Amino acid sequence: MTEPSTDRRVALKARHRQAIVDAAAALIAETGGLRFTIDDLARRADVSRRTVFNHFASVDDIVAEVFGDVIGTLVASYERESAASPAAPGTDVDGRAVVFGELDRAVRSTDLVAPMAFLTQSLRSHDEHSPAIATVLLRVLDAARGRLAAAVLARHPRADVLDVHLLVNAVVSGVLVLHRHWDAATGAVDDEPSRAVWAALVDRLLDRTGHGFAADHPATT
């Protein structure tokens, strides 16, 4: 008799959490940043202020989840691109070259400029001198790193686990480094010149990373 009640509580908790995240995304878009209070957020989500803090310890936690959903499209891009481009016959389908090629295509095909511009401008409007931009982006990308590594290993169960984690870490951490250079060069705007800068930076990241992972050779011990 207790299981249905527990299930309802779990479902209600999940609905409340998603309502808060959806409300935060809407308010960020409407106000052009973090120009809203926890009370505004609670009203928009139709929950109490206490419920907001039961789910999230801070506004940064909420923002990280909002943008985690957006940047999480990298995982979907990986799954789509890897399924659409099977390895050639005779290729080691779980080899580093194949895995790197799939990640290369996923990063190039994912629109990271729009969510990064939105995130950067939103947080900067809240406090231009706050380190929150890098902190939140790091948290978002860290979550994406775990999800992406899991997706790669699910597709390539015979791949070397350490190689997969090293590769995913190199690519995702590289995106964080690129963000700093891209922001400094473009002001984190979303326009064609900014996208050209981002594309050139991505080319450099994948070129440098590819030298270590795009060729299959015995690992040294």
Side-chain angles (χ1 to χ4, degrees), residues 1-13 15:
M1 295 292 293
T2 59
E3 288 186 6
S5 178
T6 300
D7 290 344
R8 284 196 295 271
R9 286 197 298 271
V10 169
L12 180 62
K13 186 174 181 179
R15 285 199 300 273

Side-chain angles (χ1 to χ4, degrees), residues 123-141:
L123 293 178
R124 184 169 289 145
S125 71
H126 177 60
D127 183 352
E128 184 174 357
H129 304 292
S130 171
I133 296 171
T135 300
V136 173
L137 187 60
L138 178 61
R139 290 176 57 181
V140 168
L141 291 175

Side-chain angles (χ1 to χ4, degrees), residues 91-92 94-103 105 167 213-216:
T91 303
D92 180 359
D94 294 316
R96 283 180 290 185
V98 171
V99 173
F100 176 77
E102 292 173 353
L103 285 170
R105 291 188 295 274
L167 174 54
F213 288 95
D216 287 317

Side-chain angles (χ1 to χ4, degrees), residues 100-121:
F100 176 77
E102 292 173 353
L103 285 170
D104 181 294
R105 291 188 295 274
V107 173
R108 293 182 191 278
S109 66
T110 303
D111 179 10
L112 292 175
V113 171
M116 288 194 307
F118 188 29
L119 168 63
T120 306
Q121 297 292 346

Side-chain angles (χ1 to χ4, degrees), residues 123-169:
L123 293 178
R124 184 169 289 145
S125 71
H126 177 60
D127 183 352
E128 184 174 357
H129 304 292
S130 171
I133 296 171
T135 300
V136 173
L137 187 60
L138 178 61
R139 290 176 57 181
V140 168
L141 291 175
D142 191 53
R145 178 167 28 219
R147 291 169 58 188
L148 187 55
V152 172
L153 289 170
R155 178 169 173 79
H156 299 284
R158 294 189 299 110
D160 184 281
V161 175
L162 177 58
D163 274 350
V164 169
H165 282 278
L166 287 172
L167 174 54
V168 169
N169 184 72

Side-chain angles (χ1 to χ4, degrees), residues 113-114 116-122 124 133 179 181-191 194:
V113 171
M116 288 194 307
F118 188 29
L119 168 63
T120 306
Q121 297 292 346
S122 297
R124 184 169 289 145
I133 296 171
H179 171 268
H181 287 266
W182 169 76
D183 185 14
T186 68
V189 299
D190 183 359
D191 57 19
S194 175

